[in-house]
């Protein structure tokens, strides 16, 4: 649905050119919610503005729904843009127009008649839950309601793609959730492809199917959200996930491991103890993995720390366990876990 090939974006700046995007290749498939996450200044807004050619890239091709936007003339581009709706962080509503008239604006600009506009706008206001506020002005509604107007307006021209640049950053967590639910709903009910830009992993976790991580103008990691959450490769990704799923073990766990290791040396000489971090997702989450290890390998397991969470109905979690027993049995247990789809990381602890 959206294809970016070799996109670079260079802005002129007082201290010389700023390379905001440095060779972006991206493929977004029809009907998915695709999240793009990165820290401030990473190039997120530059990237999303390139997709509808609000910014013309310095180099590269933008193809949306089979049309190469970068090769269209102005009139063709205006027509193609009707397929691409956009919602903004600060809503960008016109304060002198009512809720209804804000949603109607793109249709008026496209020359649609009054009756047709009413027939288009009223169901949209129903969809976003604002039918009862149609006659209010932006100053008379809340931030979450303003964003609902922004979404309805973006949907007015019946786009195939919806771009969202930090649409929930100005909202509190509960309102954020309700707006993200609405984006999910329009994605499912209207079959819309949604591209969501954010700096919050929480947003990605709640609605995205796939995610790309952008750092200094480059995509450094991408994949299914669940996969990226359970197996982040890049330091930047880990630090972004850390916000909702701390990646470091608390010091108290390490202190405890030292104690257990010392005790092992006196009570069971010849046995090894290992601190393992287990990450699992999907099916393996439901398997009684630990009891199996104790039973079949005769390895002792102390659970020291753990977290379980859910991404779009799939469970994933991480556990820190201290596994102790005869060295070959501990090794066997680790191999068994890995064979069962559990990520196992051995954490070295200086005693
Ligand atoms: N019009 C511009 N002229 C010059 N430099 C720009 C312009 N727009 C953005 N930049 C620079 O390009 C880089 C990427 O900016 P961009 O706005 O895309 O980042 P972002 O990821 O959206 O950040 P934020 O999370 O703060 O919104 C930054 O270094 C920024 O200063
Ligand atoms: Mg931005």
């Amino acid at each position: 649905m959206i294809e970016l090939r070799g996109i670079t974006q260079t802005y002129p700046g007082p201290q010389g050119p700023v390379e905001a995007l440095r060779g972006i290749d991206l493929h977004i498939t029809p009907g998915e919610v695709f999240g793009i996450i990165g820290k401030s200044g990473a190039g997120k807004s530059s990237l999303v503005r390139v997709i509808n050619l609000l910014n013309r890239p310095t180099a590269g091709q933008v193809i949306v729904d089979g049309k190469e936007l970068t090769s269209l003339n102005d009139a063709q581009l205006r027509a193609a843009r009707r397929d691409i709706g956009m919602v903004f962080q600060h809503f960008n509503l016109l304060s002198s127009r009512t809720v209804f008239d804000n949603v109607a604006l793109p249709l008026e600009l496209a020359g649609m008649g009054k009756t047709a506009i009413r027939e288009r706008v009223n169901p949209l206001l129903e969809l976003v839950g604002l039918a009862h506020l149609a006659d209010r002005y932006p100053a008379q509604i809340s931030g979450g309601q303003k964003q609902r107007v922004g979404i309805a307006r973006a949907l007015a021209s019946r786009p195939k793609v919806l771009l969202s640049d930090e649409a929930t950053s100005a909202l509190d967590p509960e309102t954020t959730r309700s707006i993200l639910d609405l984006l999910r709903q329009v994605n499912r009910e209207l079959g819309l492809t949604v591209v969501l830009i954010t700096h919050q992993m929480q947003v990605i976790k709640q609605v995205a199917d796939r995610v790309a991580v952008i750092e200094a103008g480059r995509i450094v990691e991408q994949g299914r959200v669940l996969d990226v959450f359970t197996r982040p490769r890049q330091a930047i990704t880990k630090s972004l996930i850390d916000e909702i799923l701390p990646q470091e073990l608390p010091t108290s766990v390490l202190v405890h491991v030292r104690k257990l290791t010392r005790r092992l040396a006196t009570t069971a000489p010849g046995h090894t103890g290992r601190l393992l971090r287990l990450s699992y997702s999907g099916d393996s989450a439901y398997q009684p993995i630990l009891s199996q290890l104790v039973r079949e390998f005769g390895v002792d397991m102390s659970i020291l720390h753990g977290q379980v969470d859910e991404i779009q109905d799939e469970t994933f979690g991480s556990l820190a366990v201290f596994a102790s027993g005869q060295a070959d049995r501990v090794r066997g247990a680790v191999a068994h876990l890995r064979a069962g789809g559990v990520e196992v990381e051995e954490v070295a602890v200086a005693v």
Side-chain angles (χ1 to χ4, degrees):
M1 176 54 89
I2 300 172
E3 199 160 339
L4 303 180
R5 291 189 196 147
I7 297 292
T8 64
Q9 177 74 271
T10 309
Y11 300 110
Q15 281 103 36
V18 181
E19 286 186 63
L21 302 175
R22 306 165 190 244
I24 301 264
D25 295 303
L26 209 55
H27 186 84
I28 298 173
T29 57
E32 74 174 328
V33 178
F34 193 92
I36 298 172
I37 187 164
K39 301 207 162 161
S40 185
K44 303 183 295 295
S45 295
S46 301
L47 183 57
V48 78
R49 292 168 68 86
V50 150
I51 297 176
N52 59 4
L53 246 56
L54 262 147
N55 283 358
R56 205 165 259 283
T58 312
Q61 294 169 301
V62 179
I63 299 147
V64 177
D65 197 23
K67 292 187 207 81
E68 191 193 330
L69 302 191
T70 27
S71 70
L72 302 181
N73 65 32
D74 286 354
Q76 292 168 322
L77 184 57
R78 264 198 303 281
R81 276 207 187 113
R82 285 191 205 118
D83 284 341
I84 310 173
M86 183 151 177
V87 286
F88 304 87
Q89 177 176 4
H90 298 294
F91 325 124
N92 298 11
L93 303 181
L94 292 179
S95 58
S96 60
R97 283 183 154 242
T98 62
V99 165
F100 182 99
D101 289 337
N102 264 287
V103 178
L105 184 64
L107 303 175
E108 285 173 28
L109 293 176
M112 192 184 266
K114 275 211 159 110
T115 316
I117 288 183
R118 224 175 303 122
E119 280 169 7
R120 180 77 67 91
V121 173
N122 284 331
L124 279 174
L125 290 177
E126 289 284 346
L127 176 75
V128 302
L130 288 185
H132 61 300
L133 300 177
D135 297 326
R136 296 256 190 111
Y137 287 88
Q140 301 168 324
I141 60 177
S142 71
Q145 290 164 341
K146 283 182 197 157
Q147 198 53 289
R148 286 171 185 271
V149 179
I151 292 170
R153 180 188 53 192
L155 297 177
S157 59
R158 297 198 173 143
K160 295 177 183 153
V161 171
L162 188 64
L163 307 178
S164 157
D165 187 0
E166 301 275 9
T168 56
S169 307
L171 305 173
D172 64 62
E174 199 183 322
T175 313
T176 292
R177 248 190 313 277
S178 78
I179 292 294
L180 294 178
D181 284 344
L182 176 61
L183 288 177
R184 222 340 150 187
Q185 186 191 344
V186 302
N187 159 257
R188 291 208 173 118
E189 287 178 12
L190 310 177
L192 222 65
T193 307
V194 179
V195 183
L196 201 106
I197 302 282
T198 181
H199 64 277
Q200 296 171 302
M201 259 310 173
Q202 192 62 44
V203 168
I204 298 288
K205 186 189 144 213
Q206 196 186 330
V207 285
D209 299 308
R210 289 197 302 146
V211 61
V213 181
I214 182 169
E215 185 180 31
R218 290 197 179 89
I219 304 285
V220 294
E221 182 158 8
Q222 62 174 308
R224 281 205 326 144
V225 173
L226 190 66
D227 294 336
V228 171
F229 262 73
T230 45
R231 283 180 287 274
R233 299 291 177 215
Q234 304 290 330
I236 172 84
T237 315
K238 289 181 186 162
S239 94
L240 288 164
I241 293 174
D242 203 56
E243 172 198 318
I244 54 171
L245 199 70
Q247 301 286 297
E248 287 289 313
L249 288 170
T251 321
S252 61
V253 168
L254 305 179
V255 170
H256 201 69
V257 167
R258 283 189 200 108
K259 233 186 276 171
L260 287 169
T261 310
R262 275 188 235 116
R263 194 185 303 156
L264 203 62
T266 52
T267 58
H271 280 200
T272 28
R274 291 252 184 285
L275 174 59
L276 307 176
R277 281 193 70 160
L278 315 179
S279 310
Y280 52 88
S281 60
D283 283 347
S284 60
Y286 294 100
Q287 309 219 344
I289 36 176
L290 292 183
S291 57
Q292 211 178 19
L293 290 187
V294 175
R295 222 175 28 242
E296 291 178 19
F297 290 85
V299 169
D300 278 332
M301 293 277 175
S302 312
I303 299 178
L304 304 177
H305 192 255
Q307 334 176 52
V308 181
D309 208 335
E310 210 180 54
I311 292 180
Q312 289 170 26
D313 305 329
E314 283 199 75
T315 305
F316 73 100
S318 84
L319 273 186
V321 300
F322 186 73
S324 59
Q326 285 171 7
D328 58 334
R329 297 207 166 185
V330 173
R331 261 198 308 277
V334 169
H336 182 73
L337 284 168
R338 289 193 171 128
V342 178
E343 282 271 301
V344 184
E345 182 196 349
E346 294 198 27
V347 184
V349 180
V351 179

